Amino acid sequence: MRLRVLLCLLLLHQALPHVTGQPAKSKRPKEHGENKIKPVNKKLKPKIPRMKERESADSSLKSQSILMQMTDKGHFQKLAATLSLSAGQSIELRCKGSNVTWDYPSYLDTFKDSRLSIKQLDRYSQLILTNSTAADTGEYSCWPQLCNGNKCRKDETKTGSTYIFFTDKEELFVPTLSYFDIVYLNPDKPAIIPCRVTTPSAKVTLHREFPAEEIEIDGTDIIYDVKKGFVYQHPTSDHKGIVYCKAESQGAPQISIKYHLLYVEVPKGPPSATIAASSTRAEVGDNVHVSCTVLGEPDVDVNFRWQYPEQESKRPVIIQNFWRLINRGTGHTTRISKSVLVVEDFEARDAGSYKCIAQNLQGETTVATKVELNR
């Protein structure tokens, strides 16, 4: 009996877990491979740099990324499409690149304004404009040049641009060089009345001088662009006449210069040229005039070249070029361009063919006439 009890206690001891000081815990059956270290296969979203996010979301910011404005010493900010500053302020712009070209209001070059300075450094170009005026209002842009030897071209993929308003209560309209300007109305392209303002919030209206009336701006055929002025999308002869703009901004209204709108309707193409000599038969010692005349669009320049006897021997001649506008009486305006070649003290060697080559953007035309010696 005693032996049985000892045997039972021994079997019970072997069945219990060997844990010291802790109560026994119940266990669930282990699954196959449960104790192995399992790799972590969590799918993580790739982190995208914030700057690239903004650039991909807004392509306009990408195009501005090479152009910055210096606000304080050592601090820069990227430029938006427009910027408003008070006239009198100075501005410093920086454009990334080792070979940068700038574009800015052309009159700053015309008068070689000393207030403007541009300096090319190793990694960027610096533009500084001091003591700004309302006339400085306009587009400021820059781009790197891609060069292969002596040939360079604009890098279209990296361009920075901003339109800067230099606000001035005394000058709501951007000042111009004259008090009167001509705008040509061509049926084939929009016409712009360039009454730009220095304050983008100014209210601007368009007026006809005679009959005195405000011109309705419908937003379709005539629109107002604060960076350009009033735009006639489809000019017609009904739009011709004298107009002006009026602007208001927290004060008395201001009037722009006057614009004379001239309607143009001349077929596009190479110059329509004619040639005529003062005499087809000349005496020795005469002065002979040969005229080459072109009728064309008022705003299209014409260039003239001549071929004449003894040209290779550098026979001295006088060449005069000029042009003027004429009104054909039906509201249409035409430009007459003329070149006159003068041969003084006509000699036998001057007899022969005189050719005029007239050229415009559409091509060139050659006309000729003969001058003979009267024996």
Side-chain angles (χ1 to χ4, degrees):
M1 180 70 178
R2 187 175 179 183
L3 183 60
R4 260 182 215 174
V5 171
L6 291 173
L7 183 59
C8 288
L9 290 173
L10 180 61
L11 292 172
L12 180 63
H13 178 73
Q14 290 176 349
L16 292 174
H18 296 277
V19 180
T20 305
Q22 291 184 0
K25 295 181 181 178
S26 61
K27 289 190 177 182
R28 60 178 176 78
K30 292 182 180 180
E31 296 180 359
H32 177 69
E34 186 178 29
N35 287 342
K36 292 181 180 179
I37 298 175
K38 297 180 180 180
V40 178
N41 290 325
K42 292 183 179 180
K43 293 183 179 180
L44 300 176
K45 294 182 179 180
K47 293 184 179 180
I48 303 174
R50 292 182 180 180
M51 181 60 70
K52 290 186 178 180
E53 268 183 8
R54 286 199 297 267
E55 289 180 356
S56 61
D58 188 353
S59 60
S60 65
L61 285 179
K62 185 175 181 180
S63 66
Q64 303 289 333
S65 61
I66 67 168
L67 181 61
M68 296 178 290
Q69 176 194 3
M70 183 173 183
T71 54
D72 297 308
K73 189 174 182 180
H75 293 82
F76 298 90
Q77 69 177 16
K78 292 180 181 178
L79 289 166
T82 60
L83 175 66
S84 291
L85 300 174
S86 298
Q89 285 186 259
S90 298
I91 186 171
E92 177 181 339
L93 303 178
R94 290 192 178 184
C95 190
K96 295 179 183 178
S98 58
N99 185 8
V100 171
T101 298
W102 290 89
D103 192 22
Y104 42 82
S106 59
Y107 91 96
L108 289 169
D109 268 341
T110 303
F111 294 98
K112 297 181 180 179
D113 204 313
S114 60
R115 297 177 302 117
L116 177 73
S117 64
I118 295 176
K119 184 185 295 184
Q120 179 67 58
L121 302 174
D122 289 340
R123 297 183 179 179
Y124 64 89
S125 179
Q126 176 191 61
L127 181 149
I128 297 177
L129 180 65
T130 60
N131 300 322
S132 62
T133 70
D136 299 325
T137 296
E139 192 85 26
Y140 291 76
S141 58
C142 66
W143 57 89
Q145 291 278 11
L146 298 176
C147 296
N148 184 6
N150 294 328
K151 295 182 179 180
C152 295
R153 61 181 177 85
K154 180 179 180 179
D155 187 350
E156 300 287 352
T157 64
K158 297 178 181 179
T159 301
S161 178
T162 188
Y163 190 97
I164 304 178
F165 296 92
F166 290 99
T167 61
D168 187 341
K169 293 181 180 179
E170 304 300 321
E171 296 278 4
L172 287 183
F173 288 106
V174 179
T176 59
L177 299 176
S178 63
Y179 295 97
F180 191 85
D181 200 1
I182 294 177
V183 176
Y184 299 110
L185 306 176
N186 192 310
D188 297 331
K189 59 184 178 182
I192 298 175
I193 302 171
C195 45
R196 298 180 297 126
V197 290
T198 62
T199 303
S201 60
K203 179 184 177 183
V204 188
T205 53
L206 182 62
H207 300 259
R208 190 185 306 278
E209 186 175 58
F210 183 81
E213 61 181 2
E214 180 178 338
I215 299 174
E216 181 182 355
I217 308 303
D218 57 12
T220 303
D221 289 331
I222 305 177
I223 63 173
Y224 183 71
D225 186 329
V226 72
K227 298 179 182 180
K228 297 179 181 178
F230 287 99
V231 182
Y232 284 79
Q233 300 283 50
H234 307 286
T236 69
S237 59
D238 294 336
H239 295 138
K240 66 181 183 294
I242 297 177
V243 300
Y244 61 90
C245 302
K246 183 186 292 186
E248 296 183 47
S249 178
Q250 301 178 352
Q254 295 182 21
I255 304 297
S256 73
I257 67 171
K258 294 180 180 180
Y259 299 91
H260 192 177
L261 310 187
L262 299 176
Y263 186 71
V264 179
E265 195 172 30
V266 177
K268 286 192 173 182
S272 174
T274 59
I275 191 170
S278 57
S279 175
T280 58
R281 301 186 69 86
E283 303 279 352
V284 173
D286 285 350
N287 291 339
V288 176
H289 296 69
V290 183
S291 301
C292 187
T293 305
V294 170
L295 297 179
E297 298 179 79
D299 54 346
V300 175
D301 290 329
V302 178
N303 296 316
F304 294 96
R305 304 193 313 274
W306 286 92
Q307 295 176 1
Y308 50 91
E310 296 298 312
Q311 185 175 13
E312 293 184 0
S313 65
K314 297 185 178 181
R315 164 55 156 118
V317 296
I318 300 171
I319 297 176
Q320 297 175 324
N321 298 329
F322 54 92
W323 63 270
R324 63 186 177 91
L325 298 178
I326 61 169
N327 191 325
R328 293 189 289 168
T330 56
H332 298 174
T333 302
T334 301
R335 171 170 171 159
I336 295 182
S337 301
K338 183 173 286 191
S339 181
V340 179
L341 182 148
V342 181
V343 180
E344 296 181 319
D345 296 324
F346 192 84
E347 302 176 12
R349 62 175 180 158
D350 297 320
S353 177
Y354 288 76
K355 292 182 180 180
C356 169
I357 301 96
Q359 183 179 35
N360 63 14
L361 296 176
Q362 304 295 324
E364 64 180 36
T365 302
T366 300
V367 289
T369 189
K370 284 187 176 182
V371 179
E372 298 180 352
L373 178 63
N374 193 15
R375 297 181 184 275

